[in-house]
Amino acid sequence: MKTIMGIDGLLVLYKERPELFGFLYTSTKKSYEKQNIRNGTFYLPENDEEEEELSELCDKYPNKYQDWIEYQTFLDIIEYKLDHHPNATKEDILDALVYYLENDAFLD
């Protein structure tokens, strides 16, 4: 399982783009708020067993773990932002993530 720390780690994950599927999970409360994404802890399962384990943790400890966003959607949000704004800053990408989490739509 990959453990990702904050927006910096998420951006490294985007650049590396491991060929994985499923969800990104988090132990960060209010994971749609900028500050929590900047500093939160996120998890990306690397196989079906880890995906199942994280899913069970979310069910068992809903105040501690939650699914955050589908991994492919996470990649798409950043790619969409960079396609429209190639010089987007980390803050711009953070805005795009929050916008998607709140509106289920991409931010131009």
Side-chain angles (χ1 to χ4, degrees), residues 58-102:
C58 289
D59 291 341
K60 191 172 183 177
Y61 305 105
N63 292 328
K64 186 169 182 180
Y65 296 98
Q66 59 183 316
D67 56 0
W68 184 55
I69 194 168
E70 201 168 0
Y71 173 62
Q72 187 59 52
T73 301
F74 162 77
L75 297 176
D76 291 344
I77 292 165
I78 296 175
E79 189 170 296
Y80 187 85
K81 185 66 178 180
L82 293 174
D83 283 349
H84 288 85
H85 301 279
N87 296 321
T89 65
K90 179 176 20 176
E91 198 65 24
D92 295 333
I93 292 170
L94 185 58
D95 288 340
L97 287 167
V98 169
Y99 185 86
Y100 185 89
L101 292 166
E102 290 178 342

Side-chain angles (χ1 to χ4, degrees), residues 4-29:
I4 301 111
M5 302 306 294
I7 187 66
D8 291 329
L10 289 168
L11 292 175
V12 169
L13 180 69
Y14 171 77
K15 288 179 184 175
E16 292 177 353
R17 293 177 183 237
E19 292 190 30
L20 299 171
F21 300 93
F23 275 85
L24 276 160
Y25 293 83
T26 186
S27 58
T28 302
K29 292 183 181 182

Side-chain angles (χ1 to χ4, degrees), residues 32-43:
Y32 52 87
E33 293 180 358
K34 284 185 184 183
Q35 187 61 26
N36 295 336
I37 297 170
R38 279 188 193 100
N39 302 312
T41 304
F42 301 88
Y43 309 97

